[in-house]
C-alpha cells in the first residue's frame, strides 16, 4: 500500500519511541499509515472512543494497550490502568462503561505471583468502576520480548440520548475546565522508575472518571467536549481540540492546578507539567452559561474537588493554544512532538 505522503514520517524510516507518545509523531503515524489503511466513517472522528448506532442503541467502543514500566507504582498498577484507561476513554464520549475485554501478553519467565497480583488489581478496579470483564485472551512470548506483562483492554458503554461530545462543537466563548491537579501520574512513574526522591511520595491519580462525568451531565447534557489528558498531557489534549474545532484556546497559566511536589519535580527534571501525563483527570469545554453549575457539580464529586476554570476558546489564532504567563506575557503551547516520559501507561 502506498503512503498518502511520499516522504517518510518526519524522515524516520523506522518506528521510534516518539511515535507512541500521543503527540505530533503519533498523529502522523495515524494520518499517513493507519487511517488510509483502515478507512471507514466510524474511524474518521479519531476520538478516544467511537460512538456507534447499533440496534437502536448508541454505543461507545474503545480499545487501549498498556505497557507501563514498572508494573506497580505508587497509587496503582498496570492492572488499574488497564481498566481505568479504557473506562475513561468511554466516559469522554459521555458513555457509562458496561463491559470490558482483557488480553494479557506475558513474557516467558514472569512470575505467576506477579501475574496473579496484576489480575487481582485489574478485577478490583473493574468492580470499583462498575464494569464487568466479559471476555479475554492470553498469549506468551519468548523471554526478552515482552517486558513482563502487556495488557490490552477494549470496552463498550451506553451513550445517553442528547449527549454529543466532540471537538467540532467547541465555539469561541466556551470555558475550559480541568478536573484537578495535573502532572501527578507521569511524575509518580518517573520517581519509581528512576529511583528519584522529591521529599514526599507522589502517588498516581489513576482513577475511573465515569462517575464524575455523570455528575457533570446531570447539570446539562450540553457539554461540548471532554478529554482525559494522558500521553502528551494537558497540552496535547488542548492542541487536539483547538485543531479539530478551528478555534483558538487561551489558558491562564496561574489558574492551572499543579501540586507543589509535581512543580518541584518538574523544575528539577526540566519538564513542563502541561506536557506530563495524567490518568485520573479530564479537561472539558463547557458553554459559558453552564460553566458555574458544572464546576460546582465537579467540586462536589470526590474526583473533582480541585476542579478549576483555566481558560477559554477564542476566535483569535484558530488551531493554536496560547498561555498567559504569570509575568503578564504569552507563550505558545505547542503540540508535543513525542513524549517527555515514555512508557507511562
Amino acid at each position: 500500500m502506498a503512503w498518502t505522503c511520499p516522504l517518510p514520517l518526519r524522515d524516520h524510516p523506522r518506528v521510534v519511541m516518539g511515535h507512541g507518545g500521543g503527540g505530533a509523531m503519533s498523529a502522523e503515524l495515524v494520518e499517513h499509515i493507519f487511517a488510509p489503511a483502515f478507512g471507514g466513517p466510524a474511524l474518521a472522528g479519531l476520538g478516544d472512543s467511537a460512538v456507534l448506532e447499533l440496534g437502536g442503541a448508541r454505543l461507545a467502543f474503545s480499545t487501549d494497550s498498556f505497557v507501563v514500566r514498572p508494573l506497580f507504582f505508587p497509587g496503582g498498577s498496570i492492572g488499574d490502568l488497564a481498566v481505568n484507561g479504557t473506562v475513561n476513554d468511554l466516559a469522554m464520549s459521555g458513555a457509562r462503561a458496561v463491559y470490558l475485554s482483557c488480553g494479557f501478553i506475558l513474557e516467558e519467565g514472569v512470575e505467576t505471583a506477579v501475574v496473579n497480583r496484576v489480575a487481582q488489581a485489574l478485577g478490583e478496579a473493574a468492580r470499583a468502576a462498575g464494569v464487568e470483564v466479559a471476555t479475554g485472551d492470553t498469549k506468551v512470548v519468548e523471554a526478552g520480548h515482552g517486558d513482563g506483562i502487556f495488557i490490552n483492554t477494549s470496552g463498550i458503554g451506553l451513550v445517553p440520548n442528547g449527549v454529543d461530545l466532540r471537538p467540532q462543537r467547541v465555539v469561541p466563548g466556551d470555558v475550559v475546565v480541568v478536573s484537578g491537579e495535573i502532572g501527578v501520574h507521569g511524575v509518580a512513574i518517573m520517581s519509581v522508575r528512576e529511583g528519584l526522591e522529591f521529599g514526599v511520595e507522589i502517588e498516581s491519580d489513576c482513577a475511573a472518571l465515569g462517575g464524575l462525568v455523570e455528575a457533570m451531565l446531570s447539570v446539562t447534557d450540553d457539554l461540548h467536549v471532554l478529554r482525559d489528558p494522558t500521553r502528551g498531557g494537558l497540552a496535547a489534549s488542548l492542541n487536539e481540540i483547538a485543531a479539530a474545532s478551528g478555534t483558538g484556546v487561551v489558558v491562564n497559566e496561574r489558574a492551572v492546578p499543579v501540586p507543589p511536589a509535581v512543580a518541584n519535580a518538574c523544575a528539577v527534571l526540566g519538564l513542563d507539567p502541561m506536557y506530563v501525563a495524567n490518568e485520573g483527570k479530564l479537561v472539558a469545554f463547557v458553554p459559558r452559561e453552564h460553566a458555574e453549575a458544572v464546576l460546582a457539580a465537579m467540586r462536589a464529586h470526590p474526583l473533582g474537588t480541585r476542579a478549576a476554570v483555566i481558560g477559554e476558546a477564542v476566535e483569535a489564532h484558530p488551531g493554536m493554544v496560547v498561555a498567559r504567563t504569570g509575568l503578564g506575557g504569552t507563550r505558545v503551547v505547542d503540540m508535543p512532538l513525542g513524549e517527555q516520559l515514555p512508557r507511562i501507561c
Side-chain angles (χ1 to χ4, degrees):
M1 295 292 292
W3 288 2
T4 58
C5 172
L7 296 176
L9 306 182
R10 288 196 181 272
D11 297 323
H12 287 292
R14 299 179 185 273
V15 171
V16 298
M17 289 299 294
H19 286 124
M25 295 181 72
S26 291
E28 288 184 344
L29 201 65
V30 171
E31 178 184 355
H32 294 297
I33 294 182
F34 297 133
F38 303 155
L43 185 66
L46 296 179
D48 290 336
S49 61
V51 177
L52 312 168
E53 299 280 347
L54 186 64
R58 296 179 71 215
L59 299 178
F61 178 46
S62 184
T63 189
D64 207 344
S65 299
F66 299 88
V67 297
V68 66
R69 181 171 58 85
L71 298 176
F72 305 95
F73 46 84
S77 70
I78 191 173
D80 301 281
L81 285 176
V83 171
N84 295 337
T86 297
V87 166
N88 292 347
D89 283 346
L90 296 172
M92 296 308 104
S93 294
R96 179 177 60 83
V98 182
Y99 295 110
L100 295 179
S101 71
C102 177
F104 272 73
I105 301 172
L106 308 176
E107 182 185 12
E108 180 186 22
V110 66
E111 296 180 2
T112 54
V114 172
V115 178
N116 180 64
R117 185 179 170 193
V118 170
Q120 291 296 324
L122 192 152
E124 290 173 7
R127 288 185 287 274
V131 295
E132 181 180 347
V133 178
T135 187
D137 182 51
T138 304
K139 293 292 189 294
V140 177
V141 298
E142 296 89 344
H145 293 272
D147 206 6
I149 300 174
F150 296 156
I151 300 177
N152 172 272
T153 46
S154 297
I156 56 175
L158 294 170
V159 182
N161 292 329
V163 174
D164 183 17
L165 297 171
R166 48 192 173 90
Q168 291 78 13
R169 296 195 63 217
V170 171
V171 296
D174 280 358
V175 173
V176 182
V177 182
V178 68
S179 64
E181 296 174 326
I182 66 167
V184 181
H185 176 72
V187 172
I189 295 294
M190 179 60 71
S191 66
V192 293
R193 182 186 297 171
E194 304 300 334
L196 302 175
E197 295 184 4
F198 302 109
V200 60
E201 184 178 67
I202 301 174
E203 290 194 358
S204 169
D205 59 348
C206 183
L209 296 171
L212 177 61
V213 172
E214 287 181 6
M216 297 167 69
L217 290 172
S218 71
V219 174
T220 176
D221 59 11
D222 190 29
L223 305 179
H224 284 171
V225 68
L226 302 177
R227 285 289 171 88
D228 57 333
T230 53
R231 295 176 304 166
L234 182 61
S237 293
L238 293 177
N239 272 278
E240 289 170 357
I241 293 169
S245 65
T247 65
V249 176
V250 176
V251 174
N252 179 357
E253 201 166 54
R254 283 188 169 178
V256 178
V258 181
V262 170
N264 294 337
C266 287
V268 170
L269 298 171
L271 303 177
D272 184 340
M274 290 276 285
Y275 293 89
V276 178
N278 313 270
E279 286 293 345
K281 302 296 186 300
L282 63 80
V283 59
F285 281 62
V286 182
R288 187 170 295 276
E289 62 268 26
H290 300 306
E292 186 174 338
V294 169
L295 184 63
M298 294 173 73
R299 288 175 172 171
H301 190 277
L303 296 179
T305 56
R306 297 298 304 275
V309 172
I310 63 169
E312 62 179 336
V314 297
E315 291 186 6
H317 50 80
M320 182 181 295
V321 181
V322 172
R324 294 195 179 105
T325 69
L327 298 176
T330 60
R331 68 181 179 96
V332 174
V333 181
D334 288 323
M335 170 68 88
L337 182 60
E339 187 172 32
Q340 291 183 335
L341 307 174
R343 303 282 299 280
I344 47 79
C345 66

